[in-house]
Amino acid sequence: MPDAVIVSALRTPVGTAVKGTLRDTDAFTLAEHIVTATTEDLDKSLIDDVILGEGLYGGGVIARHAALT
């Protein structure tokens, strides 16, 4: 079994309030930016899993969407 490797740890920006700077940006778009930034210098064929922690949206579908996108 190959060793697990943590490549990067990034976080999305934090908005100020419900009507703040990120009000028009959904969680899927934010996740896409994080995964893209993390994997831009990697050989994509070597990536087996994408693990994404999400605090409010829930369900795990965001990590799947970001990995596939």
Side-chain angles (χ1 to χ4, degrees):
M1 175 186 294
D3 293 334
V5 177
I6 297 173
V7 175
S8 180
L10 299 174
R11 67 162 296 134
T12 56
V14 177
T16 56
V18 176
K19 295 181 180 180
T21 57
L22 297 172
R23 69 182 174 275
D24 296 327
T25 308
D26 64 7
F28 294 98
T29 303
L30 291 172
E32 288 173 28
H33 288 294
I34 293 298
V35 172
T36 300
T38 301
T39 61
E40 65 187 355
D41 296 328
L42 300 175
D43 179 3
K44 310 300 187 282
S45 66
L46 298 176
I47 300 173
D48 292 328
D49 292 313
V50 174
I51 300 172
L52 181 72
E54 44 191 286
L56 297 175
Y57 225 70
V61 71
I62 296 173
R64 178 176 168 78
H65 173 81
L68 294 173
T69 302

